[in-house]
Amino acid sequence: MTVDSRFYAPLGALTLESAAALAGAVLVGDGQLEISGVAAADTAGPGELAFLEGDHPGQVSLSHALQMIVVNEAASAHLADGVSRIVSRQPRHTHSVIARALLRPRFLGPAERSAISPSARVHPGAVICPGAVIGAGAAVGEGTIISPNAVIGPGVQVGRHGFIGAGASVNCALLGDFVTLLAGARIGETGFGVIPGPNGLEDAPHFGRVILQDHVTVGANTCIDRGVFADTIIGERTKIDNLCQIAHNVVLGRSVIVAAFGGISGSVRVGDGSMLGGRVGIADHVKVGEGVSLAGSSGLFRDVAAGETWGGTPAKPIREWMREVAWLSKQTRPKKKD
Amino acid sequence: MTVDSRFYAPLGALTLESAAALAGAVLVGDGQLEISGVAAADTAGPGELAFLEGDHPGQVSLSHALQMIVVNEAASAHLADGVSRIVSRQPRHTHSVIARALLRPRFLGPAERSAISPSARVHPGAVICPGAVIGAGAAVGEGTIISPNAVIGPGVQVGRHGFIGAGASVNCALLGDFVTLLAGARIGETGFGVIPGPNGLEDAPHFGRVILQDHVTVGANTCIDRGVFADTIIGERTKIDNLCQIAHNVVLGRSVIVAAFGGISGSVRVGDGSMLGGRVGIADHVKVGEGVSLAGSSGLFRDVAAGETWGGTPAKPIREWMREVAWLSKQTRPKKKD
Amino acid sequence: MTVDSRFYAPLGALTLESAAALAGAVLVGDGQLEISGVAAADTAGPGELAFLEGDHPGQVSLSHALQMIVVNEAASAHLADGVSRIVSRQPRHTHSVIARALLRPRFLGPAERSAISPSARVHPGAVICPGAVIGAGAAVGEGTIISPNAVIGPGVQVGRHGFIGAGASVNCALLGDFVTLLAGARIGETGFGVIPGPNGLEDAPHFGRVILQDHVTVGANTCIDRGVFADTIIGERTKIDNLCQIAHNVVLGRSVIVAAFGGISGSVRVGDGSMLGGRVGIADHVKVGEGVSLAGSSGLFRDVAAGETWGGTPAKPIREWMREVAWLSKQTRPKKKD
């Protein structure tokens, strides 16, 4: 996907040659290619610079439209000739240096003087409470309430008949109609990604968005991070309780229920109508089918097919888990004396 | 209980007949009864409209004062003749439609122009910091500090010598004296309840309050939801750590200790002086006696009698849990070679 | 250590005699000693009043510079003659009464009239967004962004090129350069400590600070409590995800990674380069060596040596845990019929 310029200001295009020079890395291929954006290696289109971690590009299915990529020397040897590349010891870090030279998140820009930016479009039928801050280019639809001290970042689009709770904040996000965010919800923060750099650990920059479809509800103090290059997407009528964590690039289907303390790691997919009990954790990249139930407190590390019910840590089909719990209890029960 | 008009504005009474028409449902009984409020089926008084889920009213002990209720056709057949009813396929949803036509939470009302409402009563000996917002009809007692960017909703009563931390928010709540809310605490948000409606999942509207008795302390970013029809109550000198979740209709006794990440589901009761270790979870409707200890990380699904100590997930008496842990470890330990 | 007067205003020194009178407790020793501060018993220097809980002072290694202490009668009998003392039935409570008479956290002081205190030092190259509040004596360095509705408490020092997210709050803390706090992070709140007093449970007052070294990142809605008498310290380039809880007096080394819902109890030490998976809990006073890995969902109750990988609850070496999980699964698997 193309980076959304409502949230990320382009700082001027770079050629692949100038990008390599900027990062102090080696160019192999067409240095005159112009970099217009950044993307993941499996989705990059023309003009978008991707990267690969590790020595074996075969682990990722590269986009057919891939023109240019940052790789290390070992991985470079395996790449098709048509792909131009920047060769670096730390490809992820080199890519982040170039990405930061291309794009700047608008919320890092100069401060507005007024709480409601003159360039924000607020429907006259919306209610903006005292202390609310609305950034440049943001929009708030008819009948939506922005509660006291809530913060709507630059470019954020909030649909009609929504409710943004006290002190909640939204960045880099598109909200449909009838979306409810309870107090203190944090939408669109940078996700958690740590890149080894020449001076130690650095934060991975994020260039994606959060999409909250119609009738989504997000609980108090719940966090939904924006995607790295793609979007974090919450489907229609999905309901999320308080104090949940939804990481970058997660896609929740429609009418999913996530109870309190739900923790959904990066790039997880959850199918329509699934129900996650309290304090369920799901490891990154796991796929959960439609209509799945996960018992409270379960920790899921594997994919689950549609319609199943799992529990425990590590989670397994609920009958297996309950059988284990019962068996262990029976084995260790003191025998009664006759 | 009667809905508290300090938090919910009456929109004008409805007759049972007009309510049925509004909801597109069938009236059986006295259509001229006037609906003055909403309540749960086991506590509804005269003039209060309740609802029943499911086909068997026998599972709930109906209030003796019950006059009118929303039920489905199967359950209607079992009801006493004296009770008037609205018959609907989705009674919970029908009830919510009528409830929303009767009452509007005041925090959804038109925005104030000033951060401190002219109708708020703030004691001259209270300290109101910059950015704090205080709603219509709210009260703040002597010696209480409202930190920067905290939000006190319409009608909220804060007693004397309290402390409301930075960015904390309070709605639909009554706070005693010497109550401390650390930064980012969320008091009185809508609890998590999902109603199947004709168009899919909807949020259950909440008409209760939160009561924090004297000397209660609530940690940073902790959430305490208000009740559905009744109140969520935190007893005197109960101390709650950061990042806890206390759901709707919970009643914690006096001097209860809840360590970080404590998760207490809807309608749970915890007796005086009980101690919950870090990351304890309690399933909904569970009853915990006085002076109970729950070990850190335990997940409780059953009632616990006074004075007991439990641990594990699912939680059991601590000795049983420790015996299981030790036995399992012993069984699987590799045998040393001689 | 000495209490930092940027965060705690001295209310005037007390003699040991007047302090005993104030607390209604018995003085033994030199009543003319002047109390200049408060400290823990193992670190108290001249002029600092400490306390001991319990009857046996031998459990704590008392500071060699200790001059004065609050103890109960049993413990008093074991103390060296040279130490003056206040004897009380509830030493921790008595100490807190005296401490509160000596020092007042500056954030409890009279409210500023302006959102940015005239005595705050804000670099002209810093960006202060609408709604941000900056307390008396605070400092914000060059290139740092203070997002909308964030709160920087009195005396707080924020270094250069930092980022403080929307609605985040910071009290009693020193932040280095390139420190990132995402939205809703809570730095420097009072830690969770409950003291039995004559009228029931009371909150333990805290007189320490939070130190965030250069390049630390703190996730959205994460809480880091300040120390009781010492500091909570987060080492250089340590990265903490959303919704984590770091308790008082914790010391995390450099380049530590803490994933979402990490819960680190009071006085825990974690060595450089350790990695904590999602929802890891560590019990108070546990020591974790350098380069340790803790699997997601593990609950650690014991010290772990450098370089080890542990998992499970209670946590153990990962191979043991995985062996137990596999063995239990095998024992309870239904046998297939031939």
Side-chain angles (χ1 to χ4, degrees):
Chain A
M1 57 170 286
T2 308
V3 170
D4 190 330
S5 62
R6 287 175 290 190
F7 305 125
Y8 304 95
L11 301 172
L14 289 173
T15 61
L16 198 60
E17 186 172 31
S18 58
L22 175 80
V26 175
L27 168 73
V28 177
D30 181 359
Q32 296 316 305
L33 281 171
E34 192 169 280
I35 311 173
S36 62
V38 290
D42 56 346
T43 61
E48 294 181 334
L49 181 67
F51 70 91
L52 272 179
E53 290 179 294
D55 299 344
H56 297 284
Q59 292 175 325
V60 177
S61 64
L62 299 180
S63 162
H64 293 295
L66 184 71
Q67 284 182 321
M68 44 192 165
I69 192 162
V70 189
V71 288
N72 70 18
E73 217 171 305
S76 178
H78 296 285
L79 277 183
D81 281 349
V83 179
S84 295
R85 65 208 69 168
I86 289 173
V87 180
S88 147
R89 288 194 174 181
Q90 296 181 314
R92 182 81 183 88
H93 179 261
T94 296
H95 186 269
S96 75
V97 168
I98 298 168
R100 285 193 174 101
L102 281 166
L103 297 157
R104 193 201 63 223
R106 291 190 187 275
F107 62 83
L108 299 182
E112 297 275 345
R113 296 194 177 198
S114 58
I116 301 176
S117 169
S119 70
R121 286 164 296 128
V122 177
H123 191 282
V127 174
I128 311 295
C129 295
V133 174
I134 301 181
V140 178
E142 182 178 5
T144 288
I145 298 167
I146 311 289
S147 298
N149 292 338
V151 177
I152 306 298
V156 167
Q157 310 293 303
V158 182
R160 293 172 298 165
H161 306 294
F163 175 78
I164 310 294
S169 58
V170 188
N171 262 329
C172 305
L174 307 178
L175 279 59
D177 296 337
F178 298 97
V179 168
T180 296
L181 308 183
L182 297 182
R186 307 294 164 194
I187 309 300
E189 292 297 288
T190 305
F192 192 62
V194 175
I195 303 177
N199 301 310
L201 302 181
E202 297 192 4
D203 299 323
H206 282 57
F207 299 97
R209 305 175 299 187
V210 173
I211 312 293
L212 303 181
Q213 297 182 355
D214 294 350
H215 295 279
V216 161
T217 298
V218 177
N221 284 347
T222 280
C223 303
I224 304 180
D225 294 337
R226 69 184 191 271
V228 183
F229 302 111
D231 293 333
T232 303
I233 302 172
I234 311 295
E236 205 175 311
R237 289 191 188 271
T238 281
K239 305 295 185 183
I240 303 173
D241 199 353
N242 297 346
L243 290 166
C244 293
Q245 156 66 5
I246 315 288
H248 48 210
N249 296 29
V250 164
V251 179
L252 300 186
R254 287 172 291 186
S255 301
V256 174
I257 294 178
V258 183
F261 293 119
I264 304 189
S265 305
S267 303
V268 163
R269 260 79 179 141
V270 177
D272 296 353
S274 287
M275 297 198 290
L276 283 57
R279 217 183 298 271
V280 163
I282 306 183
D284 56 330
H285 292 276
V286 164
K287 289 185 178 56
V288 174
E290 298 188 5
V292 166
S293 290
L294 298 175
S297 295
S298 47
L300 181 66
F301 296 86
R302 293 162 48 191
D303 293 355
V304 180
E308 300 207 354
T309 299
W310 285 37
T313 302
K316 52 190 68 176
I318 191 96
R319 287 189 190 180
E320 289 182 30
W321 177 52
M322 293 178 70
R323 197 161 56 215
E324 289 179 14
V325 165
W327 183 85
L328 183 58
S329 174
K330 187 177 170 190
Q331 297 303 313
T332 60
R333 201 171 298 145
K335 285 158 190 163
K336 288 181 186 168
K337 293 173 184 173
D338 292 299
Chain B
M1 57 171 286
T2 309
V3 170
D4 190 329
S5 63
R6 287 175 290 190
F7 306 124
Y8 304 96
L11 300 173
L14 290 171
T15 62
L16 199 59
E17 186 172 32
S18 57
L22 175 79
V26 175
L27 168 73
V28 177
D30 182 358
Q32 297 316 306
L33 280 171
E34 190 169 283
I35 310 174
S36 62
V38 289
D42 57 345
T43 60
E48 294 181 333
L49 181 68
F51 70 91
L52 271 179
E53 290 179 293
D55 298 345
H56 296 284
Q59 293 174 324
V60 176
S61 64
L62 300 178
S63 163
H64 292 295
L66 184 72
Q67 285 182 322
M68 44 190 165
I69 193 162
V70 188
V71 288
N72 68 18
E73 216 172 306
S76 179
H78 296 284
L79 277 184
D81 282 349
V83 179
S84 296
R85 63 207 73 169
I86 290 173
V87 180
S88 147
R89 287 193 173 182
Q90 296 181 313
R92 182 80 185 89
H93 179 262
T94 297
H95 186 268
S96 74
V97 169
I98 298 167
R100 286 194 174 100
L102 280 166
L103 296 157
R104 193 200 64 224
R106 291 191 186 272
F107 61 83
L108 298 182
E112 296 274 346
R113 295 195 177 199
S114 58
I116 301 176
S117 168
S119 69
R121 287 164 295 126
V122 176
H123 191 281
V127 174
I128 311 296
C129 295
V133 174
I134 302 181
V140 178
E142 181 177 4
T144 287
I145 297 167
I146 310 290
S147 298
N149 292 338
V151 177
I152 306 297
V156 168
Q157 310 292 304
V158 183
R160 292 172 299 163
H161 307 294
F163 174 78
I164 310 296
S169 58
V170 188
N171 263 329
C172 306
L174 307 178
L175 281 58
D177 296 336
F178 298 97
V179 169
T180 295
L181 308 183
L182 296 183
R186 307 293 164 197
I187 309 298
E189 292 297 290
T190 305
F192 193 62
V194 176
I195 302 177
N199 301 310
L201 302 180
E202 297 191 4
D203 300 321
H206 281 58
F207 299 97
R209 305 176 298 185
V210 173
I211 311 293
L212 304 181
Q213 296 182 356
D214 294 349
H215 294 278
V216 162
T217 299
V218 177
N221 284 345
T222 280
C223 303
I224 304 179
D225 292 338
R226 67 185 192 271
V228 183
F229 302 112
D231 293 332
T232 304
I233 301 173
I234 311 294
E236 203 175 311
R237 288 190 188 272
T238 281
K239 305 295 185 183
I240 302 173
D241 199 353
N242 296 346
L243 290 165
C244 292
Q245 157 66 5
I246 314 288
H248 47 210
N249 294 30
V250 164
V251 179
L252 301 186
R254 286 173 291 185
S255 301
V256 174
I257 293 176
V258 183
F261 292 118
I264 305 189
S265 304
S267 303
V268 164
R269 260 78 179 141
V270 177
D272 296 352
S274 288
M275 297 197 292
L276 282 58
R279 217 183 297 270
V280 162
I282 306 183
D284 56 329
H285 293 277
V286 164
K287 289 185 177 57
V288 174
E290 297 189 5
V292 167
S293 290
L294 298 175
S297 296
S298 46
L300 181 66
F301 296 85
R302 293 162 49 192
D303 293 354
V304 180
E308 299 207 356
T309 299
W310 285 37
T313 301
K316 52 191 67 178
I318 190 97
R319 286 188 190 180
E320 289 181 30
W321 178 52
M322 292 179 72
R323 198 161 55 215
E324 289 179 13
V325 166
W327 183 85
L328 182 59
S329 174
K330 188 176 170 190
Q331 297 304 313
T332 61
R333 201 172 296 146
K335 285 159 191 160
K336 288 183 186 166
K337 293 174 182 173
D338 293 300
Chain C
M1 58 171 286
T2 309
V3 170
D4 190 329
S5 62
R6 287 175 290 190
F7 305 123
Y8 304 95
L11 300 172
L14 288 172
T15 61
L16 199 60
E17 187 172 30
S18 57
L22 175 79
V26 175
L27 167 73
V28 177
D30 181 359
Q32 296 316 305
L33 281 171
E34 190 169 281
I35 310 175
S36 61
V38 289
D42 57 346
T43 61
E48 294 181 334
L49 182 67
F51 70 91
L52 273 179
E53 291 180 292
D55 298 345
H56 295 284
Q59 293 175 323
V60 177
S61 65
L62 299 179
S63 162
H64 292 294
L66 184 72
Q67 284 182 323
M68 44 192 165
I69 194 162
V70 188
V71 290
N72 70 18
E73 215 171 307
S76 177
H78 295 286
L79 277 183
D81 282 350
V83 178
S84 295
R85 65 207 71 169
I86 289 173
V87 180
S88 148
R89 286 194 174 183
Q90 296 180 314
R92 181 80 184 90
H93 179 261
T94 297
H95 186 269
S96 75
V97 168
I98 298 168
R100 285 194 174 100
L102 280 166
L103 296 156
R104 193 201 63 224
R106 291 190 186 274
F107 62 83
L108 300 183
E112 297 274 346
R113 296 192 176 202
S114 58
I116 300 176
S117 168
S119 69
R121 286 164 296 127
V122 177
H123 191 282
V127 174
I128 311 296
C129 295
V133 175
I134 301 181
V140 178
E142 182 177 3
T144 287
I145 298 168
I146 309 291
S147 298
N149 291 339
V151 178
I152 307 296
V156 168
Q157 309 293 304
V158 183
R160 293 173 298 164
H161 305 293
F163 176 78
I164 310 296
S169 58
V170 189
N171 262 329
C172 306
L174 307 179
L175 279 60
D177 296 337
F178 298 96
V179 169
T180 295
L181 308 182
L182 296 182
R186 307 295 165 195
I187 309 298
E189 293 297 289
T190 305
F192 193 62
V194 176
I195 303 177
N199 301 310
L201 301 181
E202 297 191 3
D203 300 322
H206 282 57
F207 299 98
R209 305 174 300 185
V210 173
I211 311 292
L212 303 182
Q213 297 182 354
D214 294 350
H215 294 277
V216 162
T217 299
V218 177
N221 284 347
T222 280
C223 304
I224 304 179
D225 293 337
R226 66 185 192 272
V228 183
F229 302 112
D231 293 332
T232 303
I233 301 173
I234 311 296
E236 204 175 311
R237 289 190 187 271
T238 281
K239 305 295 184 184
I240 303 173
D241 200 353
N242 297 346
L243 291 165
C244 293
Q245 156 66 5
I246 315 287
H248 47 209
N249 296 30
V250 164
V251 179
L252 300 186
R254 287 173 291 185
S255 301
V256 174
I257 294 177
V258 183
F261 292 119
I264 305 189
S265 304
S267 303
V268 164
R269 259 79 180 142
V270 178
D272 295 353
S274 288
M275 296 197 291
L276 282 58
R279 216 183 297 271
V280 162
I282 306 182
D284 56 330
H285 294 276
V286 164
K287 287 183 179 56
V288 174
E290 297 188 5
V292 166
S293 290
L294 298 175
S297 295
S298 47
L300 181 66
F301 295 86
R302 293 162 48 192
D303 293 355
V304 180
E308 300 206 356
T309 299
W310 284 39
T313 302
K316 52 190 67 177
I318 191 96
R319 287 188 188 180
E320 290 182 30
W321 178 52
M322 293 179 70
R323 199 161 54 216
E324 290 179 13
V325 166
W327 183 85
L328 182 59
S329 174
K330 188 177 170 189
Q331 297 305 312
T332 60
R333 201 172 297 148
K335 285 159 190 162
K336 290 183 184 167
K337 292 173 185 173
D338 293 299

Short mmCIF file of all heavy atoms in Angstrom, two decimals, chain A residues 26 71 81 109 111 141 147 151 153 170 189 205 258 273 289 292 303 335:
data_model
loop_
_atom_site.label_atom_id
_atom_site.label_comp_id
_atom_site.label_asym_id
_atom_site.label_seq_id
_atom_site.Cartn_x
_atom_site.Cartn_y
_atom_site.Cartn_z
N VAL A 26 26.04 0.25 0.45
CA VAL A 26 26.49 0.00 -0.92
C VAL A 26 25.29 -0.15 -1.87
O VAL A 26 24.33 -0.86 -1.56
CB VAL A 26 27.33 -1.30 -0.96
CG1 VAL A 26 27.72 -1.66 -2.40
CG2 VAL A 26 28.57 -1.13 -0.08
N VAL A 71 19.09 -5.18 1.71
CA VAL A 71 19.40 -6.56 2.12
C VAL A 71 20.84 -6.63 2.63
O VAL A 71 21.62 -5.70 2.44
CB VAL A 71 19.28 -7.55 0.92
CG1 VAL A 71 17.85 -7.77 0.52
CG2 VAL A 71 20.10 -7.05 -0.26
N ASP A 81 18.09 -10.68 -10.58
CA ASP A 81 18.91 -9.58 -11.09
C ASP A 81 18.13 -8.28 -11.27
O ASP A 81 18.68 -7.19 -11.09
CB ASP A 81 19.50 -9.96 -12.47
CG ASP A 81 20.70 -10.88 -12.30
OD1 ASP A 81 21.15 -11.03 -11.16
OD2 ASP A 81 21.14 -11.45 -13.32
N GLY A 109 5.01 17.33 13.91
CA GLY A 109 5.23 18.63 13.27
C GLY A 109 5.16 19.79 14.24
O GLY A 109 5.04 19.58 15.45
N ALA A 111 3.85 22.77 16.53
CA ALA A 111 2.63 22.80 17.33
C ALA A 111 1.64 23.79 16.76
O ALA A 111 2.01 24.86 16.29
CB ALA A 111 2.97 23.17 18.77
N GLY A 141 -17.36 13.94 12.23
CA GLY A 141 -18.66 13.91 11.58
C GLY A 141 -19.83 14.33 12.46
O GLY A 141 -19.71 14.53 13.67
N SER A 147 -15.04 14.11 23.81
CA SER A 147 -15.12 14.41 25.24
C SER A 147 -13.97 15.30 25.69
O SER A 147 -12.99 15.48 24.98
CB SER A 147 -15.11 13.11 26.04
OG SER A 147 -16.23 12.32 25.72
N VAL A 151 -7.80 13.86 22.36
CA VAL A 151 -6.88 14.39 21.35
C VAL A 151 -7.09 13.65 20.02
O VAL A 151 -6.92 12.43 19.94
CB VAL A 151 -5.41 14.22 21.80
CG1 VAL A 151 -4.47 14.72 20.70
CG2 VAL A 151 -5.15 14.95 23.11
N GLY A 153 -5.60 13.50 16.40
CA GLY A 153 -4.38 13.92 15.73
C GLY A 153 -4.61 14.45 14.32
O GLY A 153 -5.70 14.33 13.76
N VAL A 170 -6.12 9.72 19.47
CA VAL A 170 -6.20 9.03 18.18
C VAL A 170 -5.18 9.66 17.22
O VAL A 170 -5.18 10.87 17.04
CB VAL A 170 -7.61 9.17 17.55
CG1 VAL A 170 -7.72 8.28 16.32
CG2 VAL A 170 -8.70 8.84 18.56
N GLU A 189 -0.94 4.62 18.15
CA GLU A 189 0.43 4.85 18.60
C GLU A 189 1.39 3.96 17.79
O GLU A 189 0.98 2.99 17.16
CB GLU A 189 0.56 4.52 20.09
CG GLU A 189 -0.20 5.49 20.99
CD GLU A 189 0.35 6.90 20.88
OE1 GLU A 189 1.45 7.16 21.37
OE2 GLU A 189 -0.33 7.75 20.28
N PRO A 205 10.35 2.58 13.07
CA PRO A 205 9.33 3.58 12.69
C PRO A 205 8.13 2.88 12.05
O PRO A 205 8.27 1.83 11.43
CB PRO A 205 10.07 4.47 11.70
CG PRO A 205 11.16 3.62 11.13
CD PRO A 205 11.54 2.64 12.21
N VAL A 258 -13.55 -9.20 22.45
CA VAL A 258 -12.29 -9.33 23.18
C VAL A 258 -12.49 -8.80 24.60
O VAL A 258 -12.69 -7.60 24.80
CB VAL A 258 -11.16 -8.52 22.48
CG1 VAL A 258 -9.83 -8.71 23.19
CG2 VAL A 258 -11.05 -8.89 21.01
N GLY A 273 -16.72 -13.13 14.38
CA GLY A 273 -17.53 -13.78 15.39
C GLY A 273 -16.78 -14.58 16.42
O GLY A 273 -17.40 -15.29 17.22
N GLY A 289 -9.45 -18.83 13.28
CA GLY A 289 -10.55 -18.88 12.33
C GLY A 289 -11.80 -18.17 12.82
O GLY A 289 -11.81 -17.53 13.88
N VAL A 292 -14.33 -18.88 16.63
CA VAL A 292 -13.51 -19.59 17.62
C VAL A 292 -13.78 -19.00 19.00
O VAL A 292 -13.99 -17.80 19.15
CB VAL A 292 -12.01 -19.45 17.25
CG1 VAL A 292 -11.11 -19.87 18.41
CG2 VAL A 292 -11.70 -20.25 15.99
N ASP A 303 -2.13 -21.76 15.33
CA ASP A 303 -3.35 -21.45 14.59
C ASP A 303 -4.51 -22.31 15.10
O ASP A 303 -4.31 -23.46 15.53
CB ASP A 303 -3.16 -21.73 13.10
CG ASP A 303 -2.16 -20.76 12.46
OD1 ASP A 303 -1.69 -19.83 13.15
OD2 ASP A 303 -1.85 -20.95 11.27
N LYS A 335 -4.82 -39.94 49.16
CA LYS A 335 -5.79 -41.03 49.27
C LYS A 335 -6.38 -41.02 50.66
O LYS A 335 -5.67 -40.87 51.66
CB LYS A 335 -5.11 -42.36 49.00
CG LYS A 335 -4.83 -42.54 47.50
CD LYS A 335 -3.74 -43.54 47.24
CE LYS A 335 -3.35 -43.48 45.78
NZ LYS A 335 -2.05 -44.11 45.51
#
